Amino acid sequence: MSLDDWIQSPRSSRVWLNESMTALGQFAFIAPIHRVKHWNPTTKKRNKCWAKEAECIFCKNNTPKINEFTYGIYISEIKEVKHLTLTIASHTECQKIFSQLIDEGINPTDLVFKFEKGKVTTTFGRQTNGYIIEKTEEEMFVAEKFRPSLTDSEEQTYRWIIPEEIVEFLKERDGQPITMIDLFLILKDRFPAIEEKELKKYSVKLCEHNILNLMNARQKWI
Ligand SMILES: [Zn+2]
């Protein structure tokens, strides 16, 4: 197997491969960080999409949207997580491989994969550039005790301090004006099984200056 070195950003932890390059990597976690970006083909620039519910300035300009999935990988025995961004097509393929492995009782983060930059088929059947991964028999670079938990990612540094079913129920109203009392009454009506004392606490947390703020439903815990 002839291998290339990952190309590394001098300024960040990002790594990537150019067309037809192949390199080895071990996933540090299998739940990637998901970001929506706008890609302007003319300026060749990526811009973060600022839209929460409505549209950002790039949405309004009809700048195409792309989904980025950033995984943490180890590229050597050095216990330093590097970041590799995949498109939706490569991400979907990786997740398929991970679930097959998990079904077989294999922890995907225990394996070293061969990453190849080449053509990937999208769900629409189009060919696009992406990463193709294949498991290898190589010895793992970094042992489990030195790695973050299996599903660790930026998202998972938060934990819900309010039951997810409540957050799910209130999703449509996020950012809308509401008083604490009204919120409490809505919750009491919808979740009669939850103690009123608890519902009051949730209402206090979620109601910020008479605006429903679901960001307060989560708390950073690491
Ligand atoms: Zn946007």
Side-chain angles (χ1 to χ4, degrees):
M1 181 161 48
S2 104
L3 291 168
D4 303 291
D5 285 327
W6 288 94
I7 304 167
Q8 301 192 42
S9 161
R11 286 180 309 274
S12 72
S13 57
R14 290 194 175 274
V15 293
W16 65 92
L17 296 175
N18 283 340
E19 202 54 37
S20 23
M21 284 171 74
T22 302
L24 294 180
Q26 176 187 356
F27 287 93
F29 51 79
I30 58 170
I33 298 159
H34 179 206
R35 293 251 186 285
V36 180
K37 297 261 175 82
H38 287 284
W39 162 251
N40 185 332
T42 319
T43 60
K44 293 210 180 330
K45 271 201 176 135
R46 272 161 203 245
N47 294 295
K48 194 170 179 227
C49 175
W50 295 101
K52 278 258 162 61
E53 294 160 348
E55 295 180 307
C56 79
I57 179 167
F58 302 108
C59 294
K60 288 204 179 93
N61 292 340
N62 286 323
T63 310
K65 263 190 195 181
I66 48 169
N67 283 278
E68 289 185 346
F69 298 88
T70 301
Y71 285 84
I73 63 169
Y74 299 107
I75 57 170
S76 70
E77 283 86 5
I78 299 166
K79 297 177 199 69
E80 193 186 308
V81 178
K82 299 288 181 181
H83 290 97
L84 174 70
T85 296
L86 302 184
T87 58
I88 192 154
S90 309
H91 159 70
T92 310
E93 275 311 305
C94 284
Q95 290 297 320
K96 245 188 252 170
I97 293 170
F98 294 160
S99 32
Q100 281 162 8
L101 289 167
I102 292 166
D103 283 348
E104 294 164 31
I106 300 168
N107 178 348
T109 59
D110 277 345
L111 300 177
V112 171
F113 288 88
K114 190 180 87 179
F115 290 73
E116 195 192 330
K117 185 76 184 282
K119 294 282 176 226
V120 201
T121 311
T122 66
T123 41
F124 305 108
R126 256 184 327 182
Q127 293 275 300
T128 141
N129 284 331
Y131 289 88
I132 301 135
I133 65 161
E134 198 183 306
K135 69 172 191 180
T136 70
E137 300 298 319
E138 298 286 321
E139 191 67 30
M140 68 173 93
F141 291 149
V142 177
E144 190 173 8
K145 61 177 178 221
F146 299 113
R147 303 194 306 251
S149 78
L150 185 63
T151 49
D152 187 65
S153 75
E154 187 187 43
E155 284 302 307
Q156 262 117 35
T157 60
Y158 288 93
R159 70 185 166 88
W160 297 103
I161 47 173
I162 287 176
E164 279 188 67
E165 48 179 347
I166 292 185
V167 177
E168 195 57 42
F169 168 67
L170 293 173
K171 228 160 59 184
E172 299 291 300
R173 300 166 186 263
D174 192 23
Q176 290 178 12
I178 193 163
T179 66
M180 226 176 274
I181 301 297
D182 285 340
L183 181 58
F184 168 71
L185 293 174
I186 292 172
L187 292 179
K188 193 169 106 127
D189 183 53
R190 179 68 179 75
F191 300 98
I194 303 178
E195 265 186 79
E196 285 195 5
K197 195 180 75 194
E198 289 301 303
L199 293 178
K200 267 181 204 153
K201 262 202 296 193
Y202 301 154
S203 307
V204 172
K205 270 252 173 309
L206 294 178
C207 205
E208 203 176 305
H209 310 300
N210 288 331
I211 302 279
L212 178 66
N213 186 355
L214 289 183
M215 288 299 284
N216 295 347
R218 305 188 312 171
Q219 203 172 57
K220 203 141 178 109
W221 64 289
I222 53 171

